[in-house]
C-alpha cells in the first residue's frame, strides 16, 4: 500500500487542507465501521499511541485505531491560520513537528516567499518532510496545495516544489493550484501567478488548476437548488459536495463550502488508490496516461454529482446524467470550455456501484461530441472504485488534459503584461535580493512557450490529419 | 500432467481466479454426476492438473500470484480461502507496494529485474511439486504495466530457466475504445517481445467477450466479473482433461504439448484465437437441447466468417475454391473469408462419438502448405463441461486476429508519429529504437498472416 503526504502552503493551502483532513476523516469513518487501522487509512494517516512518550517510534501498524495523525506538513509564514487549525477540532490530527511557521507573512510578494523565506526555512522544511517520509512504508506522491496569487502559497510553495523535486526525485508531485480570477483582490496576483507557473511547468508532474470564480458559481448553484428547489426535489442532507456535515469541524466558516469542493476533488482522485475496485487506478497511472508531453500537464477537473436528491425513486437514467454533467461547464472547477477545444487525454474516475458496461456505454455516447486529438482518438483512461463517497451512491471525477487551458493562460499573460509594461509595483519585487528583471522575462517566456505548445496542438484540430504511413515489409 | 499457472497483474489475477473456480467446479460435478470409473479418472486428472493436496488434505492451487500492489491479491486470496473448495498455496504470491503505473517500461526494465529472483523462486517451488509438468500458463493483460511489462520479463526468465518446457501465454486484449490511453504502446511492446519467447499465445479480446455477455447471456449490467467468467469457461474447456488420441477416456496425454504441436507449427504464426459454442445463460439452459451437427455447423461458419459467437454470423461467406499452387499476393484478399493455418476442435459431452467433424477437413479452409489431415485435430471427452450437455470449442491459428492486431498497430503507430507519451518510456529505459524494433516485428507478423 502506498502513502501520500499533503504539503499545504500559505493561507489558502492551509484552509483547503484543513477541509481536506476533515472530509477524509469523515469518509473513512463512514467506511471503516470496525475501527481497525487498515490499509486504506494508512494512505493518509498514521496510527499512533500518544500515551507513550518515547519520542518518534510509536507508530502502530494494524489493530485498532488509537490516535490518527495526518501525513501532512503545514507551512505558513504567518501564524494566524495554522494556529486556528491547532486550536480547532482537528488539533489532535497534527502535532507540532509538522509545522513550519514564521511571523510576518510574505506581503503578497512572490519574491519574498521564494527568495527570502525559501532559503531561510529550507532546512526546516526538508527536515519535516523527510521525517514524514520516513514514517511511510512506500511513499508514492506529494500533494501540494497552494494558491497562485499570494506571496507565501505562490512563492514559498514553488520553492518547496523545487525542494521536493531535489530531495525526492522518485516521488510524484501533484499540485492543486488555486488560480486568481479576473476579479481578484490582490493587485499583484498576475506577477505572482506567472512567476510561480514557471516552476509548476518545469517541476510538477501534474497540476490541477482551480479558480475561485468557478467554485463560487458551483456553491451558488447548490444553494439555489437547496432553497428554491421545486417541491419533491429536496436535497438529501450532507450529500452535497460542499457540505462538511458529519465531519469534526465546528461551525461553517466562510470559504468552507468552496474549499470542500477542492477537498472532495482530492478525495476522489485518491479513492482508487485507497479502496478496492474492479479496475484500479493508482496515482502514477494518472501521470502516465494523462501527460503526453512533459510540460503539458495541466488537467481540468470536473466533479459530479454536486448533490443528490432525497427522492429515493430515482430513475436509472441518473447514472447517464452524471456522465453528461461531467462534461458540462457548470461542473468544472476552472473556467474553460473543453468541448470547443482539443482533448489530449481524459480520465474518468468512477466511484460506487457502476459496472464496466455502463462506463463503456457512456463513453460511446459522449465520444462524438468531444474533439480528441488525431493521434489519441480513444484517449480515455478509466477507473472503477467500488466505495462511493459519503452521501452519494456513485460519483465521477473527470480529469481532462485539454487545450482549453490556453485561454486561461493567455488571460493571465495579458494581465501580467498590463502591469509589466508600466513597471507597476515592480520595485517591491526587485528590492528583494537575488531578484532581477531577468526572472520576469524568463517567467513570461516560459508561459509563452507553453501557450505556443498548446496552440500547435490546437492547430491540428478539425483538420483531417492523414495517418502516418506504416512500415512496409518486403515480401 | 500438471500445469503451473502464473497470474500477473490485476487482470491476470482476476481471470486466473475465475479459471480455477470453473475447473474445480467442473471436476467436482463430473465426479458427482458420473460415479463410474470414467468420472473418477476425469476428476483425478482435472484436479491433478491445477491443484495439489496439502498435508491438511485441502486443495491448494498450483498457482503463483504476482502483482505490484497488494489490493487485488489480498482480495483473491481471501475469496479463495472463504470458498472452502480450494485455496491458494501459502506464500505463493508476490506483491509489492506500488504499481507499475500502466508503464510497460517500468514493468519490464525496473520491476522485472528487481524482483526476478523472488518470483522465479516461487515458480520453481511450484514446478518442483509437480510429478509431471505439462507446461506453464501465464495469464495477463497486454494493456497495463505489470501484467504486460513485468509479465514479458518473467516469461523471458522462465524461458531461460526451462528451455524444454512449454510456455503458453494467455493474453487479454483491452476494449478497442480505450481502457488505458497508452494501451496500444503496451500491447505492441508485449506482443513483439512475447513472439520470440512464447510457444503459443491464446488471445481473448474484451470487445468480443463483452458482446457474448450482452447478446447471448442476456446480462443487463455487464461487470468485469461476468467477462472473466466467460473467458474462464472458454479457457477451461481447452485445459480440462480430454482425450487427444482417439478413445474418449484416456486422459494421459500432454494437453499443452499436443496443443502446440498441432497448432503452433511455425515460428511466424503463434496467435491463437478461441471460439466456443454454445453460450447461454443458466436460466435458458434448462430449456434448450443441442445436437452435434447443429453445433458443428455453426462453429464451422464462425470460423470461416470470423465470428466469435453464434449470433450474427454471416452465412454468406463460403469457402473459396481450392487454390492449386496459386501465387501469394500481398494484399488482404477477400477479408471476409478467414483462412486457417491449423485448427483444434475440442468436443465435450454426451454422444461425442457420433459427432462428425469432417466438414472441418475441407482443404479450402486451410493454407496450401499443410494437408488438411495434418492441419486439423480433434480432442474429445465424454464428460459434459460446466453445465452444458454438449459443448464444442475451436482453437484456431488463423487470420481471425489480423484485423484487431492491424488496428492496434495502426493506432500505436499514429501516436508514435507524434512522439506522445514517449518520454514516459524513455525515462525507464525503452528507447525509440526499441519501439521501432517492436513495430517492425509486428508488421512482419501482420504481413505473414495476410499472405496465409
Amino acid at each position: 500500500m502506498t502513502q501520500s503526504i499533503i504539503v499545504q502552503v500559505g493561507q489558502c493551502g492551509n484552509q483547503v487542507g484543513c477541509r481536506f483532513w476533515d472530509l477524509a476523516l469523515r469518509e473513512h469513518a463512514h467506511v471503516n465501521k470496525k475501527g481497525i487501522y487498515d490499509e486504506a487509512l494508512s494512505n493518509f494517516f498514521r496510527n499512533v499511541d500518544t500515551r507513550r512518550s518515547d519520542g518518534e517510534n510509536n507508530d502502530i501498524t494494524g489493530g485498532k485505531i488509537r490516535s490518527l495523525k495526518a501525513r501532512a506538513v503545514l507551512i505558513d509564514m504567518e501564524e494566524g491560520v495554522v494556529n486556528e487549525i491547532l486550536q480547532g477540532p482537528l488539533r489532535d490530527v497534527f502535532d507540532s513537528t509538522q509545522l513550519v511557521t514564521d511571523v510576518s507573512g510574505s506581503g503578497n510578494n512572490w519574491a519574498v516567499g521564494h527568495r527570502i523565506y525559501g532559503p531561510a526555512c529550507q532546512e526546516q522544511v526538508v527536515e519535516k518532510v523527510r521525517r514524514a517520509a520516513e514514517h511511510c512504508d512506500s511513499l508514492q506522491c506529494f500533494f501540494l496545495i497552494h494558491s497562485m496569487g499570494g506571496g507565501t502559497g505562490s512563492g514559498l510553495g514553488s520553492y518547496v516544489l523545487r525542494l521536493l523535486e531535489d530531495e525526492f526525485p522518485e516521488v510524484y508531485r501533484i499540485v492543486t493550484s488555486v488560480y486568481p480570477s479576473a476579479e481578484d483582490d490582490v493587485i499583484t496576483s498576475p506577477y505572482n501567478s506567472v512567476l510561480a507557473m514557471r516552476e509548476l511547468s518545469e517541476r510538477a508532474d501534474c497540476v490541477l488548476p482551480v479558480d475561485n470564480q468557478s467554485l463560487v458559481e458551483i456553491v451558488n448553484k447548490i444553494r439555489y437548488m437547496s432553497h428554491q428547489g421545486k417541491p419533491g426535489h429536496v436535497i438529501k442532507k450532507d450529500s452535497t459536495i460542499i457540505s462538511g456535515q458529519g465531519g469534526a469541524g465546528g461551525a461553517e466558516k466562510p470559504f468552507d463550502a468552496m474549499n470542500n469542493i477542492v477537498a472532495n476533488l482530492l478525495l476522489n482522485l485518491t479513492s482508487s488508490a485507497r479502496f478496492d475496485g474492479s479496475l484500479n487506478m493508482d496515482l502514477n497511472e494518472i501521470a502516465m496516461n494523462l501527460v503526453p508531453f512533459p510540460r503539458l500537464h495541466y488537467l481540468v477537473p470536473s466533479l459530479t454529482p454536486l448533490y443528490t436528491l432525497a427522492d429515493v425513486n430515482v430513475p436509472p437514467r441518473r447514472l447517464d446524467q452524471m456522465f453528461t454533467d461531467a462534461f458540462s461547464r457548470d461542473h468544472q472547477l476552472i473556467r474553460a470550455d473543453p468541448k470547443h477545444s482539443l482533448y489530449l487525454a481524459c480520465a474518468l474516475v468512477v466511484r460506487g456501484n457502476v459496472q464496466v458496461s455502463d462506463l463503456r456505454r457512456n463513453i460511446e455516447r459522449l465520444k462524438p461530441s468531444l474533439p480528441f486529438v488525431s493521434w489519441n482518438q480513444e484517449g480515455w483512461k478509466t477507473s472503477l472504485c467500488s466505495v462511493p463517497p459519503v452521501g452519494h451512491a456513485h460519483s465521477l471525477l473527470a480529469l481532462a488534459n485539454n487545450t482549453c487551458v490556453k485561454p486561461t493562460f493567455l488571460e493571465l499573460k495579458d494581465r501580467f503584461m498590463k502591469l509589466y509594461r508600466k513597471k507597476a509595483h515592480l520595485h517591491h519585487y526587485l528590492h528583494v535580493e537575488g531578484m532581477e528583471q531577468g526572472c520576469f522575462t524568463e517567467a513570461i517566456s516560459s508561459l509563452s512557450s507553453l501557450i505556443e505548445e498548446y496552440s500547435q496542438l490546437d492547430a491540428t484540430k478539425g483538420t483531417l490529419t492523414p495517418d502516418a504511413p506504416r512500415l512496409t515489409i518486403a515480401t | 500432467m500438471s500445469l503451473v499457472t502464473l497470474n500477473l497483474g490485476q487482470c491476470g489475477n482476476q481471470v486466473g481466479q475465475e479459471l480455477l473456480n470453473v475447473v474445480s467446479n467442473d471436476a467436482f460435478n463430473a465426479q458427482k454426476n458420473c460415479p463410474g470409473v470414467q468420472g473418477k479418472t476425469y476428476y483425478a486428472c482435472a484436479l491433478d492438473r491445477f491443484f495439489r493436496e496439502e498435508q491438511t488434505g485441502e486443495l491448494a492451487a498450483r498457482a503463483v500470484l504476482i502483482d505490484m500492489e497488494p489490493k487485488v491479491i489480498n482480495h483473491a486470496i481471501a475469496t479463495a480461502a472463504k470458498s472452502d473448495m480450494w485455496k491458494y498455496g501459502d506464500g505463493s504470491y508476490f506483491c509489492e507496494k506500488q504499481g507499475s503505473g500502466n508503464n510497460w517500461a517500468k514493468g519490464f526494465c525496473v520491476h522485472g529485474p528487481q524482483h526476478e529472483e523472488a518470483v522465479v523462486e516461487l515458480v520453481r517451488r511450484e514446478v518442483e511439486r509437480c510429478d509431471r509438468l505439462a507446461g506453464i500458463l501465464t495469464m495477463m493483460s497486454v494493456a497495463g504495466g505489470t501484467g504486460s511489462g513485468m509479465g514479458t520479463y518473467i516469461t523471458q526468465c522462465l524461458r531461460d530457466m526451462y528451455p524444454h518446457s512449454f510456455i503458453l501465454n494467455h493474453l487479454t486484449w483491452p476494449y478497442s475504445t480505450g481502457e488505458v490511453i497508452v494501451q496500444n504502446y503496451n500491447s505492441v511492446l508485449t506482443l513483439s517481445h512475447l513472439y520470440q519467447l512464447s510457444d503459443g499465445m491464446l488471445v481473448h479480446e474484451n470487445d468480443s467477450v463483452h458482446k457474448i455477455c450482452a447478446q447471448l447471456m442476456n446480462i443487463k449490467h455487464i461487470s468485469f466479473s461476468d467477462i472473466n467468467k466467460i473467458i474462464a469457461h472458454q479457457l477451461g474447456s481447452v485445459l480440462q482433461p480430454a482425450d487427444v488420441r482417439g478413445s474418449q477416456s484416456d486422459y494421459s496425454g500432454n494437453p499443452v504439448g499436443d496443443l502446440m504441436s498441432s497448432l503452433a507449427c511455425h515460428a511466424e504464426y503463434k496467435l491463437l484465437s478461441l471460439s466456443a459454442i454454445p453460450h447461454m445463460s443458466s436460466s435458458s439452459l434448462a430449456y434448450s437441447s443441442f445436437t452435434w451437427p447443429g453445433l458443428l455447423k455453426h462453429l464451422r461458419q464462425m470460423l470461416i466468417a470470423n465470428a466469435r459467437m453464434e449470433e450474427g454470423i454471416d452465412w454468406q461467406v463460403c469457402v473459396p475454391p481450392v487454390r492449386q499452387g496459386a501465387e501469394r499476393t500481398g494484399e488482404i484478399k477477400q477479408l471476409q473469408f478467414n483462412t486457417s493455418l491449423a485448427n483444434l476442435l475440442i468436443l465435450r459431452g454426451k454422444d461425442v462419438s457420433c459427432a462428425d467433424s469432417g466438414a472441418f477437413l475441407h482443404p479450402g479452409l486451410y493454407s496450401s502448405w499443410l494437408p488438411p489431415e495434418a492441419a486439423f485435430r480433434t480432442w474429445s471427452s465424454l464428460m459434459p463441461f460446466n453445465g452444458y450437455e454438449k459443448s464444442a470449442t475451436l482453437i484456431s491459428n488463423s487470420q481471425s486476429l489480423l484485423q484487431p492486431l492491424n488496428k492496434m498497430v495502426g493506432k500505436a503507430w499514429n501516436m508514435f508519429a507524434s512522439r506522445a507519451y514517449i518520454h514516459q518510456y524513455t525515462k525507464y529505459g525503452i528507447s525509440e529504437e526499441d519501439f521501432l524494433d517492436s513495430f517492425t516485428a509486428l508488421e512482419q507478423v501482420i504481413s505473414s498472416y495476410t499472405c496465409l
Side-chain angles (χ1 to χ4, degrees), chain A residues 267-301:
Chain A
L267 281 177
N268 285 347
L269 187 61
T270 51
S271 62
S272 189
R274 287 177 290 141
F275 299 116
D276 248 339
S278 59
L279 190 56
N280 295 335
M281 180 173 87
D282 234 342
L283 295 166
N284 47 12
E285 295 177 23
I286 296 180
M288 175 66 186
N289 282 292
L290 291 176
V291 182
F293 302 104
R295 300 207 330 150
L296 304 184
H297 53 238
Y298 293 86
L299 310 174
V300 175

Short mmCIF file of all heavy atoms in Angstrom, two decimals, chain A residues 267-301:
data_model
loop_
_atom_site.label_atom_id
_atom_site.label_comp_id
_atom_site.label_asym_id
_atom_site.label_seq_id
_atom_site.Cartn_x
_atom_site.Cartn_y
_atom_site.Cartn_z
N LEU A 267 -10.05 13.79 -2.56
CA LEU A 267 -10.50 12.50 -2.06
C LEU A 267 -10.87 11.56 -3.19
O LEU A 267 -10.53 10.38 -3.17
CB LEU A 267 -11.73 12.69 -1.15
CG LEU A 267 -11.44 13.17 0.25
CD1 LEU A 267 -12.73 13.37 1.00
CD2 LEU A 267 -10.57 12.17 0.99
N ASN A 268 -11.59 12.10 -4.19
CA ASN A 268 -11.99 11.24 -5.31
C ASN A 268 -10.79 10.80 -6.12
O ASN A 268 -10.74 9.68 -6.62
CB ASN A 268 -12.99 11.98 -6.21
CG ASN A 268 -14.35 12.04 -5.57
OD1 ASN A 268 -14.62 11.35 -4.61
ND2 ASN A 268 -15.21 12.88 -6.10
N LEU A 269 -9.81 11.69 -6.24
CA LEU A 269 -8.63 11.36 -7.02
C LEU A 269 -7.90 10.18 -6.41
O LEU A 269 -7.40 9.30 -7.12
CB LEU A 269 -7.71 12.59 -7.05
CG LEU A 269 -6.50 12.55 -7.93
CD1 LEU A 269 -6.92 12.35 -9.35
CD2 LEU A 269 -5.73 13.85 -7.80
N THR A 270 -7.83 10.14 -5.08
CA THR A 270 -7.07 9.08 -4.44
C THR A 270 -7.93 7.88 -4.08
O THR A 270 -7.43 6.91 -3.52
CB THR A 270 -6.43 9.60 -3.15
OG1 THR A 270 -7.45 10.22 -2.36
CG2 THR A 270 -5.36 10.60 -3.45
N SER A 271 -9.24 7.92 -4.40
CA SER A 271 -10.12 6.85 -3.93
C SER A 271 -9.70 5.50 -4.47
O SER A 271 -9.71 4.50 -3.77
CB SER A 271 -11.56 7.13 -4.35
OG SER A 271 -11.65 7.16 -5.76
N SER A 272 -9.30 5.45 -5.75
CA SER A 272 -8.99 4.16 -6.32
C SER A 272 -7.68 3.61 -5.78
O SER A 272 -7.45 2.40 -5.78
CB SER A 272 -8.94 4.26 -7.84
OG SER A 272 -8.83 3.00 -8.38
N ALA A 273 -6.83 4.52 -5.29
CA ALA A 273 -5.58 4.02 -4.72
C ALA A 273 -5.83 3.50 -3.31
O ALA A 273 -5.07 2.67 -2.80
CB ALA A 273 -4.55 5.14 -4.69
N ARG A 274 -6.88 4.01 -2.65
CA ARG A 274 -7.13 3.59 -1.27
C ARG A 274 -8.06 2.40 -1.18
O ARG A 274 -7.84 1.48 -0.39
CB ARG A 274 -7.74 4.75 -0.47
CG ARG A 274 -6.74 5.84 -0.14
CD ARG A 274 -7.39 7.01 0.58
NE ARG A 274 -8.25 7.78 -0.25
CZ ARG A 274 -9.41 8.29 0.16
NH1 ARG A 274 -9.82 8.10 1.37
NH2 ARG A 274 -10.15 8.99 -0.68
N PHE A 275 -9.12 2.40 -1.99
CA PHE A 275 -10.14 1.37 -1.85
C PHE A 275 -10.11 0.39 -3.01
O PHE A 275 -9.55 0.66 -4.06
CB PHE A 275 -11.52 2.01 -1.77
CG PHE A 275 -11.69 2.94 -0.60
CD1 PHE A 275 -11.92 4.28 -0.80
CD2 PHE A 275 -11.62 2.46 0.69
CE1 PHE A 275 -12.07 5.14 0.27
CE2 PHE A 275 -11.77 3.31 1.76
CZ PHE A 275 -11.99 4.66 1.55
N ASP A 276 -10.81 -0.73 -2.82
CA ASP A 276 -10.91 -1.77 -3.82
C ASP A 276 -11.79 -1.39 -4.99
O ASP A 276 -12.66 -0.56 -4.86
CB ASP A 276 -11.59 -2.98 -3.17
CG ASP A 276 -10.60 -4.10 -3.03
OD1 ASP A 276 -9.59 -4.10 -3.75
OD2 ASP A 276 -10.85 -4.98 -2.20
N GLY A 277 -11.59 -2.04 -6.10
CA GLY A 277 -12.48 -1.82 -7.23
C GLY A 277 -12.19 -2.84 -8.30
O GLY A 277 -11.22 -3.59 -8.19
N SER A 278 -13.02 -2.87 -9.37
CA SER A 278 -12.75 -3.87 -10.40
C SER A 278 -11.71 -3.39 -11.40
O SER A 278 -11.16 -4.18 -12.15
CB SER A 278 -14.04 -4.25 -11.12
OG SER A 278 -14.61 -3.11 -11.69
N LEU A 279 -11.45 -2.08 -11.43
CA LEU A 279 -10.41 -1.57 -12.32
C LEU A 279 -9.69 -0.47 -11.56
O LEU A 279 -10.12 0.67 -11.55
CB LEU A 279 -11.06 -1.04 -13.60
CG LEU A 279 -10.11 -0.68 -14.73
CD1 LEU A 279 -9.25 -1.85 -15.09
CD2 LEU A 279 -10.92 -0.26 -15.95
N ASN A 280 -8.62 -0.82 -10.92
CA ASN A 280 -7.93 0.14 -10.05
C ASN A 280 -7.08 1.12 -10.83
O ASN A 280 -6.58 0.81 -11.90
CB ASN A 280 -7.00 -0.61 -9.09
CG ASN A 280 -7.77 -1.48 -8.14
OD1 ASN A 280 -8.93 -1.21 -7.87
ND2 ASN A 280 -7.15 -2.53 -7.65
N MET A 281 -6.93 2.29 -10.28
CA MET A 281 -6.03 3.27 -10.89
C MET A 281 -5.19 3.91 -9.81
O MET A 281 -5.71 4.55 -8.91
CB MET A 281 -6.84 4.35 -11.61
CG MET A 281 -5.94 5.38 -12.24
SD MET A 281 -6.83 6.53 -13.26
CE MET A 281 -7.30 7.73 -12.06
N ASP A 282 -3.92 3.75 -9.90
CA ASP A 282 -3.02 4.33 -8.93
C ASP A 282 -2.64 5.74 -9.36
O ASP A 282 -2.88 6.13 -10.49
CB ASP A 282 -1.76 3.47 -8.85
CG ASP A 282 -1.49 3.04 -7.43
OD1 ASP A 282 -2.05 3.67 -6.52
OD2 ASP A 282 -0.72 2.09 -7.25
N LEU A 283 -2.00 6.50 -8.49
CA LEU A 283 -1.68 7.87 -8.83
C LEU A 283 -0.61 7.94 -9.92
O LEU A 283 -0.61 8.87 -10.74
CB LEU A 283 -1.19 8.60 -7.58
CG LEU A 283 -2.31 8.71 -6.54
CD1 LEU A 283 -1.75 9.10 -5.21
CD2 LEU A 283 -3.33 9.72 -7.01
N ASN A 284 0.30 6.97 -9.95
CA ASN A 284 1.31 7.05 -11.01
C ASN A 284 0.69 6.80 -12.38
O ASN A 284 1.22 7.23 -13.40
CB ASN A 284 2.47 6.07 -10.73
CG ASN A 284 1.97 4.69 -10.35
OD1 ASN A 284 0.80 4.39 -10.50
ND2 ASN A 284 2.86 3.86 -9.85
N GLU A 285 -0.49 6.12 -12.40
CA GLU A 285 -1.13 5.91 -13.69
C GLU A 285 -1.71 7.21 -14.23
O GLU A 285 -1.86 7.37 -15.43
CB GLU A 285 -2.24 4.86 -13.56
CG GLU A 285 -1.67 3.51 -13.21
CD GLU A 285 -2.75 2.47 -13.00
OE1 GLU A 285 -3.86 2.64 -13.52
OE2 GLU A 285 -2.47 1.48 -12.31
N ILE A 286 -2.07 8.12 -13.33
CA ILE A 286 -2.59 9.41 -13.78
C ILE A 286 -1.51 10.13 -14.56
O ILE A 286 -1.73 10.60 -15.67
CB ILE A 286 -3.05 10.26 -12.58
CG1 ILE A 286 -4.20 9.58 -11.89
CG2 ILE A 286 -3.44 11.65 -13.04
CD1 ILE A 286 -4.70 10.34 -10.71
N ALA A 287 -0.34 10.22 -13.95
CA ALA A 287 0.74 10.92 -14.65
C ALA A 287 1.08 10.22 -15.95
O ALA A 287 1.33 10.86 -16.97
CB ALA A 287 1.97 10.99 -13.75
N MET A 288 1.08 8.91 -15.96
CA MET A 288 1.48 8.16 -17.15
C MET A 288 0.52 8.39 -18.29
O MET A 288 0.90 8.63 -19.41
CB MET A 288 1.49 6.66 -16.79
CG MET A 288 1.77 5.77 -17.95
SD MET A 288 3.43 6.01 -18.53
CE MET A 288 3.42 4.99 -19.96
N ASN A 289 -0.77 8.31 -18.00
CA ASN A 289 -1.75 8.32 -19.08
C ASN A 289 -2.17 9.70 -19.52
O ASN A 289 -2.62 9.88 -20.64
CB ASN A 289 -3.02 7.57 -18.63
CG ASN A 289 -2.82 6.08 -18.69
OD1 ASN A 289 -2.70 5.53 -19.76
ND2 ASN A 289 -2.76 5.46 -17.56
N LEU A 290 -2.10 10.68 -18.62
CA LEU A 290 -2.67 11.97 -18.97
C LEU A 290 -1.63 12.98 -19.42
O LEU A 290 -1.99 14.09 -19.78
CB LEU A 290 -3.43 12.54 -17.77
CG LEU A 290 -4.70 11.77 -17.43
CD1 LEU A 290 -5.32 12.33 -16.19
CD2 LEU A 290 -5.69 11.89 -18.57
N VAL A 291 -0.36 12.65 -19.39
CA VAL A 291 0.66 13.63 -19.72
C VAL A 291 1.42 13.18 -20.96
O VAL A 291 2.44 12.52 -20.84
CB VAL A 291 1.62 13.83 -18.54
CG1 VAL A 291 2.65 14.88 -18.86
CG2 VAL A 291 0.86 14.24 -17.30
N PRO A 292 0.95 13.52 -22.17
CA PRO A 292 1.65 13.04 -23.36
C PRO A 292 2.98 13.74 -23.61
O PRO A 292 3.89 13.15 -24.17
CB PRO A 292 0.66 13.33 -24.49
CG PRO A 292 -0.23 14.38 -23.97
CD PRO A 292 -0.28 14.24 -22.50
N PHE A 293 3.07 14.99 -23.21
CA PHE A 293 4.35 15.70 -23.36
C PHE A 293 4.67 16.32 -22.02
O PHE A 293 3.79 16.82 -21.34
CB PHE A 293 4.23 16.76 -24.46
CG PHE A 293 3.82 16.18 -25.78
CD1 PHE A 293 2.54 16.32 -26.25
CD2 PHE A 293 4.73 15.48 -26.54
CE1 PHE A 293 2.15 15.77 -27.46
CE2 PHE A 293 4.36 14.93 -27.76
CZ PHE A 293 3.07 15.07 -28.20
N PRO A 294 5.95 16.35 -21.67
CA PRO A 294 6.28 16.65 -20.27
C PRO A 294 5.69 17.95 -19.73
O PRO A 294 5.30 18.00 -18.58
CB PRO A 294 7.81 16.72 -20.27
CG PRO A 294 8.25 16.04 -21.49
CD PRO A 294 7.15 16.07 -22.47
N ARG A 295 5.62 19.00 -20.54
CA ARG A 295 5.16 20.25 -19.95
C ARG A 295 3.65 20.41 -19.98
O ARG A 295 3.09 21.24 -19.28
CB ARG A 295 5.80 21.44 -20.66
CG ARG A 295 7.29 21.36 -20.55
CD ARG A 295 8.04 22.63 -20.59
NE ARG A 295 7.43 23.67 -21.35
CZ ARG A 295 7.59 24.95 -21.06
NH1 ARG A 295 8.29 25.30 -20.01
NH2 ARG A 295 7.03 25.87 -21.80
N LEU A 296 2.97 19.61 -20.80
CA LEU A 296 1.53 19.79 -20.91
C LEU A 296 0.83 18.93 -19.87
O LEU A 296 0.26 17.89 -20.18
CB LEU A 296 1.06 19.41 -22.31
CG LEU A 296 1.76 20.16 -23.44
CD1 LEU A 296 1.15 19.78 -24.77
CD2 LEU A 296 1.66 21.65 -23.23
N HIS A 297 0.93 19.34 -18.61
CA HIS A 297 0.36 18.52 -17.56
C HIS A 297 -0.69 19.25 -16.75
O HIS A 297 -0.83 19.03 -15.56
CB HIS A 297 1.47 17.98 -16.64
CG HIS A 297 2.37 19.06 -16.09
ND1 HIS A 297 3.73 19.06 -16.29
CD2 HIS A 297 2.11 20.14 -15.34
CE1 HIS A 297 4.25 20.12 -15.69
NE2 HIS A 297 3.30 20.79 -15.10
N TYR A 298 -1.44 20.13 -17.38
CA TYR A 298 -2.49 20.87 -16.68
C TYR A 298 -3.82 20.18 -16.92
O TYR A 298 -4.30 20.11 -18.05
CB TYR A 298 -2.52 22.32 -17.15
CG TYR A 298 -1.27 23.07 -16.73
CD1 TYR A 298 -0.12 23.03 -17.51
CD2 TYR A 298 -1.23 23.76 -15.53
CE1 TYR A 298 1.03 23.67 -17.10
CE2 TYR A 298 -0.09 24.40 -15.12
CZ TYR A 298 1.04 24.36 -15.90
OH TYR A 298 2.19 24.98 -15.48
N LEU A 299 -4.43 19.64 -15.89
CA LEU A 299 -5.62 18.82 -16.05
C LEU A 299 -6.83 19.56 -15.51
O LEU A 299 -6.86 19.92 -14.34
CB LEU A 299 -5.45 17.51 -15.28
CG LEU A 299 -4.13 16.78 -15.55
CD1 LEU A 299 -4.01 15.59 -14.63
CD2 LEU A 299 -4.06 16.33 -16.99
N VAL A 300 -7.86 19.73 -16.34
CA VAL A 300 -9.07 20.43 -15.91
C VAL A 300 -9.95 19.45 -15.14
O VAL A 300 -10.39 18.45 -15.69
CB VAL A 300 -9.83 20.94 -17.14
CG1 VAL A 300 -11.14 21.57 -16.74
CG2 VAL A 300 -8.98 21.94 -17.89
N PRO A 301 -10.22 19.72 -13.86
CA PRO A 301 -11.04 18.77 -13.11
C PRO A 301 -12.53 19.13 -13.19
O PRO A 301 -12.88 20.31 -13.25
CB PRO A 301 -10.54 18.96 -11.67
CG PRO A 301 -9.89 20.29 -11.61
CD PRO A 301 -9.70 20.80 -12.99
#
